[in-house]
Amino acid sequence: MPHVTDAPTPPTAPSAAAGRPRVLSGIQPTADSFHFGNYLGALRQWVALQEEHEPFFFIADMHAITVEQDPRQLRERCLRAAAQLIAMGVDPERSAIFVQSQVPAHAQLAWVLQCLTGFGEARRMTQFKDKSSKNGEGAASVGLFTYPILQAADILLYRPAFVPVGEDQRQHLELTRDLAQRFNHRYKKTFRLPEPYILKATAKILDLQDPHAKMSKSASSPGGIIEMLDDPKLSAKKIRSAVTDSGSDVRFDEEEKPGISNLLTIYSALTDRPVSELEEAYAGRGYGDFKKELGEVVVEFVTPFRDRTLELLEDRATLDEVLRSGAKRAAEVAERTLADVYDRVGFVPA
Ligand code: ATP
């Protein structure tokens, strides 16, 4: 298995609209900046997917409010997420980039699907158990409980051929397929059953200070996480201070050298140089040189990204327009599906 992400080669299928298969993916606006794990583990694929697909990429603000959010911060983070997506290469011409709450069909379909979901079935979703375990189930919102059903609506509205999902989302996609099948069976064939496209070859980025845990916005210490919008000099410093073992051999070995292996994964992902080539290039040179040069690679990568994001954030009118037009494109597709659904369940036309 490769150490780093290869450009995805998802299954293809005939598209409804543009002659390209539709693909749908979302990300929550729950931090001021995406981090290297988000980028190398997920968002980089978004850029690649738009080459041969018709993508609908959304910022999941409705999912975000399943736990308490500061309203001003939430709004700001949605815009920051959009700016970062564009800065990393998601092209608003080829991909519809939109904010979930701007397409009301998501909430509308979610309600219909909730009425098709068994309570016990929803209960079996393990992510709710994980996420609510900290403060106890009683303190969790009903929104957090029904989150996978909203996710099913997000997907089914666009009748995509496949959905890129991480291993942790597999169970939710199964629920999506079950609900689609149930609806099709009870009423009339309306939904396409989306295939999971498990992004197996993606890089899993580990915490720089604790290379046994994944890099994560909620669990990593400031020194363990590289935020895409960090000052590039700070990011280079974090790389130089990353925890490694007491040896000096730059070699990929997840068991014995998790820290160095993680840095090799990052290096390889940012430069597209195979890990074996990097091992050769740094043979006999020690960790100091390796970390310093990886720091330079990181600076070179994040500087233009950060500049572009900040520039986009200065130009709110353009950003608003991108989101408005993305929402319009998304709504055109979503509302067609919703109209079929409303008709089939027996709602009186408005
Ligand atoms: P949390 O701290 O709440 O778990 P997170 O920072 O880990 O959040 P998510 O919002 O859960 O990030 O994930 C967004 C996307 O980024 C998902 O597709 C997830 O698989 C991916 N991702 C997050 N962290 C990593 C990581 N360390 N390595 C690879 N992919 C990651």
Side-chain angles (χ1 to χ4, degrees), residues 112-149:
V112 175
L113 296 179
Q114 284 188 52
C115 297
L116 285 184
T117 311
F119 197 81
E121 191 176 27
R123 255 200 177 293
R124 282 194 291 278
M125 296 296 119
T126 52
Q127 278 208 357
F128 174 73
K129 292 182 197 153
D130 295 345
K131 290 190 177 174
S132 61
S133 61
K134 207 171 101 203
N135 298 320
E137 233 180 66
S141 70
V142 174
L144 189 66
F145 183 65
T146 58
Y147 178 115
I149 306 169

Side-chain angles (χ1 to χ4, degrees), residues 27 35 37-38 41-42 203-205 214-218:
I27 185 114
H35 59 73
N38 301 143
K204 182 175 177 194
I205 305 301
K214 72 163 201 163
M215 186 179 283
S216 134
K217 65 175 174 280
S218 53

Side-chain angles (χ1 to χ4, degrees), residues 35 207-210 215-227 230 234-235 237-239 241:
H35 59 73
D207 186 308
L208 298 179
Q209 290 300 316
D210 173 14
M215 186 179 283
S216 134
K217 65 175 174 280
S218 53
S220 293
S221 66
I225 184 168
I226 297 192
E227 310 239 4
D230 269 347
L234 177 64
S235 302
K237 193 164 161 228
K238 288 182 183 178
I239 293 280
S241 318

Side-chain angles (χ1 to χ4, degrees), residues 14-88:
S15 157
R20 293 175 288 157
R22 268 192 211 140
V23 61
L24 186 282
S25 201
I27 185 114
Q28 284 203 38
T30 43
D32 288 339
S33 169
F34 293 130
H35 59 73
F36 264 37
N38 301 143
Y39 177 67
L40 297 174
L43 299 173
R44 210 163 74 125
Q45 278 69 35
W46 289 20
V47 179
L49 279 169
Q50 59 190 354
E51 298 301 327
E52 291 179 8
H53 299 83
E54 186 194 5
F56 290 83
F57 293 140
F58 67 99
I59 299 161
D61 58 343
M62 289 166 63
H63 285 282
I65 65 161
T66 55
V67 295
E68 193 175 345
Q69 302 289 336
D70 175 87
R72 265 183 48 186
Q73 195 177 51
L74 179 64
R75 199 169 294 128
E76 178 64 23
R77 285 176 169 178
C78 282
L79 295 175
R80 290 175 81 90
Q84 289 176 82
L85 291 176
I86 299 166
M88 65 182 64

